[in-house]
Amino acid sequence: MAEAKTATLTIDGKTYELPILSPTSGPDVIDIRKLYAQAGVFTYDPGFTSTAACDSTITFIDGEEGILTHRGYPIDQLANDSHYLEVCYLLLYGHLPGPRELEDFERIITRHTMLNEQIHFFFRGFRRDSHPMATMVGVVGAISAFYHDSADVNDPAQREVAAHRLIAKMPTIAAMAYKYSLGQPFVYPRNELSYAANFLHMCFSVPAEPYHVNPVLARAMDRIFTLHADHEQNASTSTVRLASSSGANPFACIAAGIACLWGPAHGGANQACLEMLREIGTVERIPEFIARAKDKNDPFRLMGFGHRVYKNFDPRAKVLKESADEVLEVLGIHENETLKVAKELERIALEDEYFIEKKLYPNVDFYSGIILEAMGFPTSMFTPIFAVARTVGWISQWKEQLADPQLKIGRPRQLYLGAEERDYVGIERR
Ligand code: SDX
């Protein structure tokens, strides 16, 4: 039995031995759970750049090697050989399903895709030009009012139903948000369609004529869902875990995740990236924007570039880059100026000393917007689509955390730099 490793910390001449925990893959961690009780000090890591907030068996990322696995399976193999609902099963249950398991799971999800008709009235309260993410945060948080039979987080059976309902209903809610913004009627899900085809159908069909889903677009949509399904302890997943640690119901926790994903530094980057590519407009203007990205006094950043973890390449961006070419080919879009700007921007950035030194590479958001725009989605729908895909990751991590018998409410401390204690001064003396 290998001797347990420890880290030695000396403070004011006193020495503390801290256990070191070793992972299946990735860096060791120093267990500081007893540090404050023993040494009376906190650790300080505002952006969690060196902090493991939990243990997990779901997803592993090696940022230096550009590795992303779900339950041990590499993302490029899943994106090329599997499909989204099978990846959902894998994330939720930890193994690839057998044929019968997959058939049962797909039938369960398919039969949870409709929403209570009352929920349609929630949408009526929004302006037509509301951002669909505002609608999704509102509607997902509100549907907890309809599903009391799957809100008890202490009941594993109810947790299971809540997971199925959320995975099944998110595409319906996102499509309804889109239709509402267009002033078009909501389109009901169709059980004979696949998950991705059903989403395209709910977004793009109208009652006035038949709509046939292009199988290549359905495949690309499914692949986009798979590539965005889960990503370890990113900001929105950490938000869901923190919300869940208080015992909040699953719909409230997922609404919190949607809210966090909305930010342009996170899931909102796909919308911001495409808007940036459009603002650049032509290949000739790229140097101007690269100079701005380097300018310390300019808050501008190249959206779709950089990542907290990936420091050589984002494996998802590589798959999406192939998909972008495939989708544009099928759609006969050969002269796509935005794609030309994107590819030239990527080429220049990958050769530029600043970006090489800062390790800034295209991330998952760089190419997804190009594909989604080619498929007919407005930029405002990019992040809702990311939220649909990431729901399975959020809910898998939510389930994993709730099954942990050592679960405690998340309650970070701080480095206080405010005023020392002082007496109140009445207004007459100020
Ligand atoms: C996602 O965490 C996840 O896993 C997220 C995600 C997921 O699947 O859940 O992968 C999805 O959110 C992808 C990231 C999408 N965001 C963007 O594309 C927005 C643009 N990128 C940046 O905002 C930034 O790169 C972050 C937020 C993604 C990462 O920021 P970090 O790790 O906190 O790095 P940093 O901000 O400290 O930057 C390090 C340096 C800085 O320069 P210095 O202060 O050291 O001189 O790199 C520079 C930054 O100025 N920098 C950039 C840049 N990103 C970082 N400079 C120009 N353009 C950029 N995009």
Side-chain angles (χ1 to χ4, degrees), residues 103-115 164-165 168-169 189-192 198:
E103 187 188 329
D104 290 347
F105 181 69
E106 290 186 335
R107 185 174 57 254
I108 290 167
I109 298 299
T110 301
R111 275 161 178 72
H112 272 298
T113 49
M114 285 179 71
L115 287 170
H164 293 159
R165 277 178 165 148
K169 296 180 194 303
R190 299 286 297 271
N191 289 353
E192 76 276 15
N198 201 12

Side-chain angles (χ1 to χ4, degrees), residues 231 234 264-267 269 293 296 301-308 311 316 354-355 358 360 363-365 386 390:
H231 212 239
N234 59 86
H266 189 14
K296 280 281 151 249
R301 289 196 168 180
L302 284 178
M303 303 316 282
F305 277 82
H307 199 277
R308 169 62 58 77
K311 297 306 175 190
R316 302 168 295 177
Y354 175 88
F355 294 99
K358 300 280 181 195
L360 301 176
N363 58 43
V364 67
D365 294 302
F386 194 151
R390 185 54 56 88

Side-chain angles (χ1 to χ4, degrees), residues 183-206:
Q184 290 184 2
F186 297 140
V187 175
Y188 288 96
R190 299 286 297 271
N191 289 353
E192 76 276 15
L193 296 176
S194 70
Y195 190 90
N198 201 12
F199 178 64
L200 293 175
H201 161 75
M202 290 189 287
C203 287
F204 295 128
S205 74
V206 289

